[in-house]
Amino acid sequence: MAAVAALVLACAAAGCGTKTVLKKDPRPPRPPVDIVVKNSETVQEDTAGKPMWRISAREIRASEAATTLQVKGASVVVLGPGGQDRMRLVCPNLVANGAAKRLEASGGVSASSAENGISFKAERIEVDLPANRVTASGGVEGSNPQGRFQAGTLESDLKFEVVRLGGAGGVRATINPAAGSQGKGR
């Protein structure tokens, strides 16, 4: 009997037959990290590691919780296959969404593509890489090797092979400025 009593006392002292309770971490969960980087350049890659665009900026704000970069004073180079320069944007405000592969530039944007010699300005320009589309709105004015144009909206593929101009105020275009011919349409 003394042996049984000793065994019971030993188990009680060692915690035999008792539940183990895990204590909760008393620290609150860590909040998402927010980052502000000034006067910088960054290259944003897709999930396969291919570069989508290079952004030089006065200020970049990133949040661990979001998939977007909020950019002030941006100069952007949209990159094509093999890292080629497809299009350039200069704008005061930019939202770069890496997950959706989309750029939204606003506040008076200048855009150009050396590939097809087009340059234009608009209040807002969106670049959608998966859809292979560029859209511009708000006082679109620009030129290409064939002439000059003004419109409310512009829509094009990323190579600017097919450019559609439109808008409620109509479209003004000067084709072949050396010959002086002008056209007006909708």
Side-chain angles (χ1 to χ4, degrees), residues 2 14 17 35 61 63 65 81 90 92 125 136 147 163 172 176 183 186:
I35 299 170
R61 291 184 177 270
S63 174
V90 176
I125 296 176
V163 178
R172 292 179 48 104
N176 192 0
R186 290 196 91 152

Side-chain angles (χ1 to χ4, degrees), residues 4 13 73 82 84:
V4 172
Q84 73 188 43

Side-chain angles (χ1 to χ4, degrees), residues 28-138:
R30 179 182 62 80
V33 176
D34 291 324
I35 299 170
V36 176
V37 181
K38 297 191 180 218
N39 302 317
S40 66
E41 182 173 295
T42 185
V43 174
Q44 195 164 12
E45 298 175 337
D46 65 13
T47 55
K50 294 179 182 174
M52 296 182 291
W53 46 71
R54 183 175 57 246
I55 301 172
S56 299
R58 180 173 32 88
E59 179 180 290
I60 297 176
R61 291 184 177 270
S63 174
E64 183 179 40
T67 60
T68 60
L69 298 175
Q70 302 289 326
V71 183
K72 302 288 183 198
S75 176
V76 182
V77 178
V78 178
L79 302 169
Q84 73 188 43
D85 179 342
R86 262 201 156 152
M87 177 180 181
R88 293 178 177 261
L89 301 170
V90 176
C91 59
N93 302 302
L94 177 76
V95 176
N97 186 327
K101 299 181 182 179
R102 290 179 52 103
L103 296 171
E104 297 176 12
S106 63
V109 187
S110 296
S112 64
S113 173
E115 190 171 13
N116 276 324
I118 190 169
S119 63
F120 59 97
K121 294 180 180 183
E123 181 57 32
R124 179 179 182 83
I125 296 176
E126 295 180 13
V127 177
D128 186 333
L129 295 181
N132 188 37
R133 184 176 57 231
V134 176
T135 55
S137 59

